Every structure is written in C-alpha cells, then in structure tokens.
Amino acid sequence: MIELSGTPDVNRTVRMMPPDPQAASALREWVRETNTLLDVSGLDLSQVDLSGADLAMGLLTQTVLRHAKLVGTDLYRAHLENAVLDEADLTGATLVKAVLDEASLRDTNLQQADLGSTELWAVDGRGACFRAAKLDGASLIAVKLQGADLSNASLSETSLKAVFDERTVVTGLSGTFFGPALLETQGVQREIAGPELEQWLNSRGASVRILNPAPTDVTYYAKISEGYPRSHPQGVVRRRRVNGVAYDEAFTRNLRWEPTEYLRLYELGHNEVEHVEITEMEVSTFVEEVTRENT
C-alpha cells in the first residue's frame, strides 16, 4: 500500500497509486502543490485509491478510472466528461454539480452518492448501482440505465430521460422528475411518457410523480475581442435552461447548434475571450451571415 498526503487542511490523500507512471507522477505533484487543482485529464488512473480525497473542481476529462476507489471522495463541480469509471467504487462520493457528459459508468458503484444537479448527458450507466443515491436536480439525458439499480434513490425535479429495461431496479425510487424515457424490450426501444411511464415505474416498487416540462429559457451571447465587435462577433453562444438545467451551445461552422464548454470555462477563469448578452434578432442575423458564407 502506498499512501501520500498533503497538508491536513486540503485533504489530498492518495491511498494507492495507479500503475501508470505518468498518472502517478501527476498525483505526486498535486499532493506537493497544495494550491493547485487536480488536472489529470486524459491520464490512466485505473486502480487508484483516492477515497476521501478533495478533488473539487478537478479536471478529469477523458481520465480512465477503471476499478478506482473513490469512496467518500469530494468531486464537487469536477469535470469528468468522457471519463471511464467502469467498475469504480464511488460509494458515498459527492458529485454535486459535476459534469459527466459522455462518461462511461458501466457497473460503477454510486451507492449513497450525492449527484445533486449533476450533468449526465449520453452516459453509459448500464449495470451501475445508484442505490440510495441523491439525484435531486440532476440531468440524466440520453443515459443508458439498462440493468442499473436505482432502488431507494431520491429524485426532485430530476430530468430522467433515460433508457430502462426489465432488469432496471426501481424499488423504493421516490420523488419527482421530468420524462420521457425509452423502454427497451428484446432489443427494441420505444418512448414511454406521462402516466404510462409513471405507472411502469410505480408498478415496480417506485413512488414517483412525473412533472410537466417548464418553458425553455434562452439567453444569447456574442463572443467579442479586438476586431470582433458586437455587430460582427467572433461567434455566438446560447444558454438554454430546461427544467432548471443549463445547456450551453455554440453555433458552429457545421451550421448547427452544438454543445460548448465556453461559458463554463469562462466562469472558471480558464477562458479569456469576452462575451456580451445579445438579442435573439442579433443571433438570427449572425446565423444568416454564417450560413450564407458557408453554403
């Protein structure tokens, strides 16, 4: 067993180093540099034991964490996009407001974890254990939950637009959420919504209520810099709020709105490109010009 600890007030404990030398080196540096956030993006931390460590605001994008031990770990607002957490143990971990878009959670243990307001878009959670987990305000969009265990988990205005099958355990699942969902039967998926979805879950031991979707609230921004004033911006971004969940998108050269991290990175101080709020008409003008130039 290898254990490294930083100063007591920052709780940087590595109970077991990963076999990968580059990943182990990055962790040793993080333990020494107590005033920096963890950045292990793209590294292989398989088999690491970071139980109880403070990884809040950490950058773990595309990080491999197979068979990792993260019991009671603080991952508040951590970035885990495209991370691989297959068969990892996150029992009792804090993932409040973390971003796990397109992460893999195959057979991951999230028992009693707090996923309040966590973003999980296009996540593979097949076989994952969410037993007694808190999913209040979380956004589970296009999440695969075939064979997952959601028994005794709690929901509160949760966006639960996931894929279920007959193996998905929902006994004791309680609270309120927004649908619809997909029900997979013998490899065929069909949409299930409203009273039918509510009845399907409650007939299997859940006690849930489906909420009606709230209107979508959209705010537009122009990215400005020298040579790119508001009238001719570098680009445009929008933040859509659906059922209290924020989705950020930029209009790209592919002539469509696509997910962007620009606003979140700006809020974290990682992006120096400025922006100003603009009107929907200004956005329409920009979109028309870009479309004309690229068609």
Side-chain angles (χ1 to χ4, degrees):
M1 177 177 183
I2 301 173
E3 184 168 330
L4 292 176
S5 297
T7 55
D9 57 326
V10 293
N11 195 16
R12 299 186 175 212
T13 301
V14 184
R15 300 179 184 277
M16 181 65 72
M17 283 290 178
D20 183 79
Q22 187 179 359
S25 176
L27 287 172
R28 288 191 181 95
E29 183 177 354
W30 171 70
V31 170
R32 288 193 301 268
E33 301 292 333
T34 57
N35 62 338
T36 62
L37 295 175
L38 176 67
D39 186 352
V40 287
S41 299
L43 298 182
D44 188 350
L45 270 68
S46 296
Q47 302 177 47
V48 73
D49 188 346
L50 286 162
S51 297
D54 184 354
L55 310 184
M57 310 286 285
L59 300 176
L60 297 98
T61 303
Q62 297 183 328
T63 302
V64 178
L65 290 153
R66 287 192 182 93
H67 301 285
K69 286 189 177 181
L70 300 163
V71 177
T73 300
D74 186 355
L75 288 154
Y76 171 74
R77 282 191 179 274
H79 280 266
L80 290 142
E81 297 93 331
N82 292 107
V84 179
L85 292 133
D86 298 345
E87 299 184 64
D89 188 354
L90 286 91
T91 302
T94 297
L95 293 128
V96 173
K97 296 186 177 180
V99 183
L100 288 95
D101 293 347
E102 299 186 280
S104 181
L105 300 174
R106 295 290 300 270
D107 299 312
T108 302
N109 187 358
L110 289 148
Q111 183 168 306
Q112 297 181 326
D114 189 347
L115 292 98
S117 301
T118 302
E119 295 183 29
L120 301 103
W121 173 76
V123 166
D124 187 349
R126 287 176 289 180
C129 176
F130 294 90
R131 192 177 303 143
K134 296 179 181 178
L135 296 163
D136 301 344
S139 176
L140 291 87
I141 308 295
V143 174
K144 297 176 181 177
L145 291 176
Q146 298 97 316
D149 184 354
L150 285 87
S151 57
N152 298 315
S154 64
L155 310 171
S156 179
E157 298 188 358
T158 303
S159 293
L160 189 61
K161 300 179 181 181
V163 183
F164 302 107
D165 67 4
E166 293 293 335
R167 298 172 298 126
T168 306
V169 181
V170 296
T171 306
L173 176 68
S174 63
T176 58
F177 73 101
F178 301 94
L182 291 174
L183 179 59
E184 183 175 287
T185 305
Q186 296 181 341
V188 178
Q189 296 181 358
R190 70 176 181 88
E191 184 174 292
I192 179 172
E196 183 185 8
L197 174 56
E198 190 173 295
Q199 192 276 333
W200 187 87
L201 291 168
N202 291 344
S203 68
R204 285 161 175 76
S207 180
V208 296
R209 180 169 58 88
I210 295 181
L211 302 171
N212 293 322
T216 301
D217 179 27
V218 185
T219 307
Y220 298 98
Y221 302 95
K223 296 166 68 175
I224 58 174
S225 59
E226 187 175 349
Y228 293 96
R230 175 173 179 159
S231 56
H232 296 284
Q234 187 174 344
V236 293
V237 179
R238 69 184 182 188
R239 171 163 284 180
R240 297 186 299 115
R241 292 190 178 277
V242 183
N243 304 323
V245 179
Y247 300 91
D248 296 340
E249 300 163 319
F251 191 79
T252 71
R253 296 293 172 178
N254 294 323
L255 306 182
R256 60 175 179 263
W257 291 97
E258 298 180 325
T260 179
E261 286 292 301
Y262 165 78
L263 290 173
R264 288 193 179 89
L265 291 174
Y266 185 88
E267 291 163 357
L268 291 170
H270 299 312
N271 196 329
E272 296 181 356
V273 178
E274 296 292 335
H275 60 271
V276 294
E277 186 173 339
I278 57 176
T279 66
E280 186 174 1
M281 183 173 293
E282 288 174 291
V283 172
S284 298
T285 299
F286 176 86
V287 169
E288 289 174 6
E289 290 178 355
V290 172
T291 302
R292 187 167 54 249
E293 291 171 2
N294 290 272
T295 54

